[in-house]
């Protein structure tokens, strides 16, 4: 089975003088927003779809399925976009399918977009998992490696060739993982014909969530003028340091205006980079840390030449982030992460972006009194980060570096791909005030010797991309043997005492958790976040005295952890993130009963008993730390 080269990336050098470094990426990839000069057309809905069921999964390329309508080369079914394809049908082979699947949609492009040569038309895919190739009217326009991050291609000249025809978009997506993909995986062929049917193979993965695949985020067409604002970088520190890059003309006139929530101009400039000073600045504060959390200014960038005008408005939050030996500071005040780990995961749509789910999750997060989450174990949709910006929910932004367990995944090819993924992640998320830290990996085999060079390089690279945010990775390795910990700014540790270790023995938690913190802090003198802890609980299963998998056991385990957190948060523990916000789907395995059940909410977002334990705790923590005045909706009943 073929996955085209993981190298198709290094093209035009893209200069980020504000961040003082060079990114090897094409274009700024600003989130598509409508304005007086820009239009957006969503292509969500039903697409034609066909998995390539041939033995080598290559029939689509051999027979050039992209050259004609998909329905002309074989049977198609309707497939919703955005959504994972896995749980949409009743067919188990599609649920577990590995290889290329083909999507196609015909769309009418507004006549003005075609007739107006001054309009640039871009096709953008919010994300597709894992490797994608895109054709328009049979011509390849782009390919992209990696799920969870957007990619796009300008298609103006293509759609102008035959304006009378609809525009046919074909996207082939392959979910095959290799030792050099992120996350890594391997394909294992079973050749013993006495035990397995012809052609039988499995995909081995080293992470604990279902490898959902397909087009997961919106597909859009959007326009800009041919001279356009390509990127904006805002550095958020009581003043806004910014840089605007323009494409399509050597010179253009710029006007940058910073407006408050009421639309009043608070600062302006007409240079492509500079500083906007705000008098009486309203800072961006986390939820429950201020009466007006998530304050956003609007930075309007208006650029024009004699012929073209482009307008792009970027929401901007002004805040600082700093780390000391024992604290995490936001706007110079100690910030304690009391939050959750999540997944993009739900019934039927898998990892597909789903607005009702997103809004429900934010309501639950706020109900819980959580102030933060980690995007375990991959970048979440930009739409989710925009909600975090608006609601003041603090984010640890994680790349898909999960399951790096095999020594062969520490080689040069893996590392260069990992660096590119960090380039893409920082390029996409750099302007979000809610993002306060980058996480470059989850539970890699960081005790292996090559991990030292790997993480030193990766973390240094990430800091060069963005020197305003701390960098970490999530470890579950032994503190004495961890090779990457010297390079992180904050130590993030996952542990499952009395679950994976000493199962059933809650009494070990105080001693083992205390030792964990003392050991890590003693060796590295860096603040620590308990980045995962938890226990599976089947909703409605009860037993007292508590037994594993009951709601009582999950409660007792959490409370035992909390007792230790309460001692250590007075010293150097700066946060606790429960594993997990909600139950989620995994591969089938003997230790998973239809998925991972460590959620404090079910997959359908109903609370287990543990949700109430956490709710009481989080509101108490918020109240203690910031003495919440009456403006909060503090639930007095807790
Ligand atoms: C972990 C992993 C997470 C798993 C979790 C578990 O350490 O980071 O992906 O889902 O444990 O429940 O096993």
């Amino acid at each position: 089975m073929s996955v085209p080269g993981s190298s198709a990336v290094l093209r035009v050098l893209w200069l980020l003088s504000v961040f003082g470094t060079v990114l090897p990426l094409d274009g700024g990839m600003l989130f598509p927003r409508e304005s007086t000069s820009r239009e957006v057309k969503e292509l969500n809905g039903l697409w034609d779809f066909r998995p390539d069921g041939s033995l080598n999964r290559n029939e689509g390329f051999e027979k050039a399925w992209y050259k004609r309508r998909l329905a002309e080369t074989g049977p198609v079914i309707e497939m919703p976009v955005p959504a994972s394809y896995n749980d949409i049908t009743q067919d188990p082979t599609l649920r577990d399918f590995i290889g290329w699947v083909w999507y196609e949609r015909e769309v009418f492009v507004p006549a003005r977009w075609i007739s107006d040569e001054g309009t640039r038309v871009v096709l953008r895919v919010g994300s597709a998992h894992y490797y994608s190739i895109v054709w328009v009217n049979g011509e390849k326009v782009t390919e992209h490696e990696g799920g969870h991050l957007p990619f796009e291609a300008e298609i103006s000249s293509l759609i102008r060739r035959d304006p009378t025809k609809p525009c046919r978009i074909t996207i082939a997506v392959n979910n095959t993982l290799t030792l050099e993909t992120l996350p890594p995986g391997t394909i294992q062929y079973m050749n013993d014909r006495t035990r397995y049917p012809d052609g039988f193979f499995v995909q081995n993965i080293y992470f604990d969530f279902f490898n959902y695949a397909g087009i997961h985020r919106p597909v859009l067409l959007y326009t800009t003028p041919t001279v356009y604002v390509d990127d904006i970088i805002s550095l958020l520190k009581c003043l806004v340091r910014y840089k605007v890059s323009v494409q399509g003309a050597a010179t253009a006139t710029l006007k940058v205006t910073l407006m408050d929530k009421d639309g009043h101009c608070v600062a302006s400039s007409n240079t492509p980079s500079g500083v906007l000073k705000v008098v009486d600045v309203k800072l961006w504060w986390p939820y429950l840390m201020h009466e007006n959390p998530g304050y956003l200014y609007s930075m309007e960038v208006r650029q024009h030449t004699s012929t073209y005008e482009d307008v792009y408005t970027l929401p901007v939050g002004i805040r600082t982030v700093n780390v000391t030996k024992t604290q995490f500071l936001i706007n110079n005040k100690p910030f304690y992460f009391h939050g959750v780990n999540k997944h993009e995961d739900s019934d039927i749509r898998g990892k597909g972006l789903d607005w009702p789910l997103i809004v429900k999750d934010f309501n639950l997060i706020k109900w819980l009194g959580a102030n933060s989450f980690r995007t375990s174990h991959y970048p979440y949709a930009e739409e989710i980060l925009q909600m975090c910006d608006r609601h003041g929910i603090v984010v640890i932004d994680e790349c898909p570096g999960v399951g790096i367990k095999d020594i062969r995944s520490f080689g040069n090819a893996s590392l260069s791909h990992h660096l590119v993924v960090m380039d893409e992640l920082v390029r996409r998320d750099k302007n979000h005030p809610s993002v306060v830290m980058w996480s470059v990996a989850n539970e890699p085999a960081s005790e292996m010797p090559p991990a030292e060079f790997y993480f030193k390089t990766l973390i240094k690279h990430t800091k060069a991309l963005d020197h305003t945010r701390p960098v970490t990775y999530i470890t579950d390795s032994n503190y004495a043997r961890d090779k990457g910990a010297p390079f992180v700014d904050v130590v993030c540790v996952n542990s499952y005492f009395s679950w994976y270790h000493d199962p059933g023995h809650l009494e070990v938690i105080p001693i083992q958790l205390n030792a964990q913190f003392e050991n890590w802090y003693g060796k590295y003198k860096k603040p620590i976040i308990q980045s995962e802890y938890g226990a599976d609980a089947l909703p409605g299963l009860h037993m007292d005295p508590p037994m594993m998998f009951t709601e009582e056991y999950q409660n007792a385990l959490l409370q035992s952890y909390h007792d230790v957190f309460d001692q250590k948060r007075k010293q150097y523990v700066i946060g606790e993130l429960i594993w997990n916000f909600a139950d989620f789907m995994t591969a089938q395995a003997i230790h998973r009963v239809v998925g991972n059940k460590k959620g404090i909410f079910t997959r359908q977002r109903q609370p287990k008993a543990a949700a109430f334990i956490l709710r009481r705790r989080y509101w108490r923590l918020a109240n203690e730390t910031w003495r919440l005045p009456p403006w909060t909706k503090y639930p007095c009943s807790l």
Side-chain angles (χ1 to χ4, degrees):
M1 197 170 320
S2 60
V3 179
S6 53
S7 61
V9 214
L10 307 185
R11 273 168 283 169
V12 183
L13 289 186
W14 185 63
L15 235 130
L16 283 182
S17 64
V18 175
F19 285 166
T21 189
V22 171
L23 280 185
L25 293 175
D26 258 353
M29 295 284 280
L30 286 172
F31 184 78
R33 292 175 192 280
E34 289 184 326
S35 76
T36 48
S37 62
R38 293 174 174 230
E39 289 167 72
V40 176
K41 185 177 166 70
E42 285 210 354
L43 305 183
N44 299 339
L46 295 182
W47 288 51
D48 279 353
F49 175 89
R50 178 159 74 242
D52 184 340
S54 61
L55 262 191
N56 65 0
R57 301 287 196 261
N58 225 26
E59 188 181 332
F61 293 95
E62 286 156 12
K63 300 205 169 141
W65 286 352
Y66 47 89
K67 287 241 164 102
R68 289 188 289 155
R69 287 197 42 229
L70 204 52
E72 290 172 23
T73 52
V76 291
I77 59 171
E78 291 178 328
M79 187 54 68
V81 170
S84 304
Y85 58 73
N86 310 76
D87 292 344
I88 297 292
T89 73
Q90 295 306 101
D91 180 357
T93 55
L94 184 59
R95 183 191 60 205
D96 299 327
F97 186 81
I98 316 280
W100 291 103
V101 298
W102 292 71
Y103 287 79
E104 184 205 77
R105 161 103 191 241
E106 282 194 336
V107 51
F108 278 101
V109 178
R112 196 197 59 75
W113 293 13
I114 295 176
S115 59
D116 178 2
E117 297 273 342
T119 292
R120 186 175 154 264
V121 181
V122 182
L123 170 63
R124 176 179 174 115
V125 180
S127 81
H129 189 73
Y130 174 82
Y131 199 101
S132 311
I133 307 183
V134 185
W135 296 261
V136 170
N137 294 337
E139 275 198 43
K140 185 169 137 189
V141 295
T142 191
E143 59 189 292
H144 181 258
E145 177 176 358
H148 320 292
L149 287 166
F151 51 96
E152 60 182 35
E154 186 184 338
I155 59 165
S156 325
S157 55
L158 253 174
I159 57 172
R160 284 188 186 123
R161 271 189 217 154
D162 188 352
T164 55
K165 275 215 252 149
C167 159
R168 181 165 43 83
I169 301 168
T170 313
I171 307 182
V173 186
N174 191 331
N175 60 350
T176 307
L177 302 176
T178 71
L179 286 167
E180 288 156 10
T181 56
L182 274 190
T186 49
I187 298 290
Q188 190 180 358
Y189 289 90
M190 308 298 198
N191 296 323
D192 180 350
R193 288 291 153 261
T194 63
R195 299 176 63 207
Y196 300 102
D198 215 18
F200 187 90
F201 66 88
V202 289
Q203 170 150 278
N204 299 312
I205 51 174
Y206 314 105
F207 52 88
D208 182 38
F209 53 92
F210 194 85
N211 190 32
Y212 278 114
I215 303 180
H216 283 157
R217 296 187 190 146
V219 181
L220 309 170
L221 287 177
Y222 72 90
T223 66
T224 73
T226 45
V227 181
Y228 62 98
V229 175
D230 178 51
D231 200 12
I232 306 171
I233 303 164
S234 59
L235 286 188
L236 319 165
K237 293 194 161 203
C238 294
L239 38 81
V240 182
R241 196 179 291 279
Y242 72 92
K243 176 173 164 59
V244 177
S245 35
V246 172
Q247 287 287 349
T251 53
T253 311
L254 271 182
K255 171 103 177 136
V256 180
T257 314
L258 196 68
M259 286 170 295
D260 66 15
K261 271 220 155 124
D262 303 320
H264 299 130
C265 166
V266 293
S268 66
S269 158
N270 48 19
T271 53
S273 62
V275 170
L276 297 169
K277 267 203 183 140
V278 186
V279 184
D280 292 333
V281 65
K282 292 194 178 71
L283 295 176
W284 185 94
W285 287 99
Y287 174 55
L288 298 181
M289 206 170 168
H290 191 267
E291 64 184 299
N292 195 1
Y295 190 92
L296 295 175
Y297 291 89
S298 297
M299 184 170 159
E300 184 194 83
V301 176
R302 200 171 270 274
Q303 157 261 302
H304 57 96
T305 60
S306 50
T307 340
Y308 303 109
E309 179 176 67
D310 190 20
V311 183
Y312 190 92
T313 305
L314 180 77
V316 167
I318 304 176
R319 55 108 187 95
T320 60
V321 171
N322 288 295
V323 175
T324 71
K325 274 189 185 167
T326 55
Q327 288 180 318
F328 196 96
L329 303 172
I330 296 186
N331 300 331
N332 291 326
K333 292 227 167 108
F335 177 77
Y336 186 77
F337 295 79
H338 42 89
V340 299
N341 289 279
K342 291 188 89 260
H343 263 298
E344 289 182 317
D345 174 272
S346 71
D347 286 333
I348 303 171
R349 69 261 301 137
K351 292 202 177 306
L353 181 130
D354 178 40
W355 277 113
L357 181 80
I358 292 174
V359 175
K360 177 73 176 176
D361 280 4
F362 271 84
N363 287 332
L364 288 176
I365 285 170
K366 294 175 87 171
W367 173 88
L368 208 55
N371 61 5
S372 50
F373 65 78
R374 167 162 78 107
T375 69
S376 44
H377 293 305
Y378 38 79
Y380 293 177
E382 285 163 275
E383 290 83 346
I384 295 178
L385 294 184
Q386 289 160 6
M387 286 209 44
C388 290
D389 292 344
R390 291 198 297 275
H391 292 264
I393 302 298
V394 168
V395 175
I396 300 173
D397 202 353
E398 187 155 293
C399 90
V402 54
I404 306 176
K405 303 285 189 194
D406 189 302
I407 196 153
R408 289 167 293 173
S409 294
F410 285 101
N412 285 344
S414 298
L415 179 57
S416 16
H417 176 57
H418 208 147
L419 297 175
V420 171
V421 172
M422 288 315 300
D423 292 344
E424 290 189 15
L425 178 61
V426 174
R427 170 176 68 170
R428 192 194 75 161
D429 292 347
K430 59 187 180 287
N431 290 321
H432 288 288
S434 56
V435 173
V436 298
M437 181 153 67
W438 306 110
S439 161
V440 298
N442 178 69
E443 297 184 358
S446 47
E447 66 293 339
M448 285 184 178
E452 181 169 353
F453 175 75
Y454 193 95
F455 284 106
K456 187 177 174 182
T457 312
L458 190 58
I459 292 171
K460 204 171 148 202
H461 181 81
T462 308
K463 284 175 181 255
L465 293 171
D466 175 9
H467 61 74
T468 70
R469 290 176 177 91
V471 182
T472 190
Y473 70 83
I474 314 295
T475 184
D476 65 342
S477 106
N478 179 298
Y479 75 99
R481 291 199 299 270
D482 195 284
K483 299 279 186 291
F487 311 112
V488 301
D489 296 306
V490 171
V491 169
C492 289
V493 193
N494 295 348
S495 55
Y496 289 90
F497 304 126
S498 100
W499 190 261
Y500 293 123
H501 310 279
D502 304 300
H505 290 285
L506 292 163
E507 64 276 25
V508 305
I509 294 174
I511 179 164
Q512 295 190 3
L513 188 57
N514 194 61
Q516 167 197 285
F517 287 137
E518 289 294 283
N519 288 339
W520 281 96
Y521 190 75
K523 181 153 167 100
Y524 298 104
K525 299 282 182 296
K526 293 177 185 179
I528 305 179
I529 295 177
Q530 181 75 38
S531 38
E532 284 181 29
Y533 71 106
D536 290 73
L538 296 178
L541 193 61
H542 297 287
M543 197 69 100
D544 188 60
M547 287 188 80
M548 291 176 77
F549 294 100
T550 63
E551 296 201 37
E552 285 75 12
Y553 194 91
Q554 190 182 35
N555 279 354
L557 184 143
L558 300 194
Q559 275 165 328
S560 246
Y561 265 79
H562 296 163
D563 291 343
V564 181
F565 296 159
D566 281 338
Q567 294 157 29
K568 298 295 173 194
R569 73 189 164 88
K570 298 187 188 112
Q571 302 170 28
Y572 48 76
V573 168
I574 57 162
E576 51 188 89
L577 304 174
I578 183 75
W579 190 264
N580 189 286
F581 173 74
D583 293 345
F584 58 91
M585 192 49 73
T586 63
Q588 300 187 61
I590 48 170
H591 62 297
R592 295 285 175 254
V593 187
V594 192
N596 186 309
K597 298 284 190 262
K598 293 194 185 67
I600 54 165
F601 296 100
T602 63
R603 202 183 192 206
Q604 295 70 35
R605 275 46 179 184
Q606 295 307 322
K608 301 181 193 172
F612 296 95
I613 300 272
L614 271 192
R615 183 174 190 230
R616 220 166 292 136
R617 174 171 179 77
Y618 283 180
W619 280 97
R620 184 168 61 74
L621 283 174
N623 203 25
E624 253 176 44
T625 323
W626 299 300
R627 293 205 176 69
L628 299 180
W631 43 257
T632 53
K633 294 201 183 96
Y634 180 66
C636 303
S637 56
L638 292 181

